[in-house]
Amino acid sequence: MAAASPRETDPATGSRPRAGLRADSTAGAGPASGSGARPLVALSTASVYPESTAAAFEIAGRIGYDGVEVMVWTDPVSQDVEALRRLSDLHGVPVLAVHAPCLLITQRVWSTDPWTKLQRARSAAERLGASTVVVHPPFRWQRSYAREFVRGVWRMADETDVRFAVENMFPWRYRDREMLAYAPDWDPTRDDYRHFTIDLSHTSTARTDTLAMLDRMGDRLGHVHLADGNGSNKDEHLVPGRGSQPCAEVLAHLAGSGFDGHVVVEVNTRRAMSAAEREADLAEALAYTRRHLAAALAPVAGSNRAGRP
């Protein structure tokens, strides 16, 4: 998540249960990814902002997500592996991925050295049992880091079973002006990485062809940030189905291609008028994701094995 990511706020210790919003956790349910079942669907902890990391675990467990992706940011709980472990155990919600602190507001989180940030993200993922570290391309002003980024990510990937999945970003725009803020490129498919993260809000903001990017990523697609957008200059992170991105087509592709990563709902709920409205949005996003994954896996009704009516 980029422009729609949370801003600094006081950490909370949790949120009170609110009934009636649990999504259908059986739709398309099955064993973990990689066993021929649907991918697991996780909630990004950034999706609950302005609520806290702790609240994200509680909400994810109650609504019925398969796990969470921890956005490491200014909330101290998000930076504390033992606190995250306790939250995971308390709510029965595994940590499936760790998003390294790559945002403008996290330049001093864990370290000012970007390689140290990635090392700590890898360590957190290993200790929490997460399979993936999500990382953004460097900012262009991080010149030394940018020069070594491709080689450095490969080196780090060789040292662990955790996937380093480099995420697509977008040009920054103001009115008719465009600035290329990322290096080597905002589009990671123009460079050589072992694994990619595709973010559908970012493809919308970049005004690029999402399905073409998916094709370029091919079997190196390791992780998905599911959200929607309408091509705004702002990184919208809408609930899937509320914008113009091919969310359903992407989910169908994942279900039919043997994708063995995770699908993470990463949406912006800052404009929700209440906690109940926020949770309704998150439940809607989960139901949408599971419905389209399950539809792609289901056999065609009324067809025999030869595919004829």
Side-chain angles (χ1 to χ4, degrees):
M1 205 173 204
S5 298
R7 299 173 185 168
E8 186 168 3
T9 187
D10 292 332
T13 58
S15 59
R16 292 188 298 274
R18 287 177 283 272
L21 287 170
R22 185 176 180 87
D24 179 7
S25 61
T26 64
S33 299
S35 61
R38 64 161 176 84
L40 299 182
V41 183
L43 178 68
S44 169
T45 59
S47 296
V48 308
Y49 181 80
E51 297 197 52
S52 66
T53 301
F57 277 86
E58 191 268 335
I59 293 168
R62 184 155 36 78
I63 292 177
Y65 279 85
D66 297 315
V68 300
E69 174 180 301
V70 174
M71 170 68 80
V72 180
W73 64 295
T74 54
D75 181 346
V77 172
S78 74
Q79 306 169 29
D80 186 333
V81 173
E82 290 308 313
L84 295 170
R85 193 196 309 278
R86 289 193 296 271
L87 287 168
S88 178
D89 292 343
L90 175 64
H91 298 290
V93 177
V95 177
L96 301 181
V98 174
H99 195 309
C102 306
L103 308 175
L104 285 172
I105 63 168
T106 60
Q107 293 299 291
R108 296 185 178 277
V109 170
W110 276 353
S111 173
T112 56
D113 175 47
W115 292 115
T116 300
K117 292 173 183 284
L118 296 193
Q119 291 164 358
R120 292 192 63 170
R122 178 188 66 192
S123 175
E126 290 171 342
R127 292 167 63 188
L128 292 165
S131 64
T132 303
V133 167
V134 179
V135 57
H136 293 179
F139 294 112
R140 294 187 73 85
W141 55 85
Q142 296 175 302
R143 294 179 182 176
S144 176
Y145 179 46
R147 280 195 302 270
E148 296 298 320
F149 184 69
V150 178
R151 288 188 294 270
V153 169
W154 269 101
R155 183 177 62 251
M156 296 189 72
D158 285 337
E159 297 171 350
T160 180
D161 291 331
V162 173
R163 293 176 172 180
F164 280 87
V166 182
E167 184 173 3
N168 62 297
M169 298 305 292
F170 47 84
W172 289 4
R173 297 188 184 93
Y174 179 71
R175 295 181 179 174
D176 295 329
R177 302 183 64 182
E178 181 174 292
M179 182 176 79
L180 299 179
Y182 299 96
D185 204 288
W186 62 263
D187 179 353
T189 65
R190 294 172 182 165
D191 291 286
D192 181 27
Y193 300 106
R194 182 173 293 172
H195 290 108
F196 298 110
T197 295
I198 191 168
D199 184 304
L200 273 67
S201 180
H202 295 177
T203 56
S204 175
T205 304
R207 300 169 191 164
T208 193
D209 186 325
T210 301
L211 298 178
M213 178 174 284
L214 196 67
D215 286 343
R216 293 196 300 276
M217 290 181 173
D219 60 8
R220 290 186 290 170
L221 176 66
H223 200 66
V224 175
H225 283 170
L226 190 69
D228 216 330
N230 286 309
S232 168
N233 287 349
K234 296 180 180 180
D235 188 13
E236 296 172 284
H237 284 273
L238 304 178
V239 170
R242 297 185 185 178
S244 59
Q245 285 296 289
C247 297
E249 292 92 331
V250 169
L251 292 169
H253 171 84
L254 299 177
S257 66
F259 173 70
D260 65 350
H262 305 312
V263 179
V264 176
V265 169
E266 191 183 62
V267 296
N268 183 350
T269 63
R270 284 183 292 174
R271 293 187 178 181
M273 299 301 293
S274 65
E277 183 179 334
R278 174 173 298 107
E279 292 187 35
D281 284 348
L282 298 177
E284 178 186 331
L286 175 59
Y288 178 101
T289 305
R290 288 221 175 109
R291 182 170 67 253
H292 286 286
L293 288 172
L297 287 168
V300 177
S303 297
N304 62 18
R305 290 186 180 181
R308 292 186 290 271

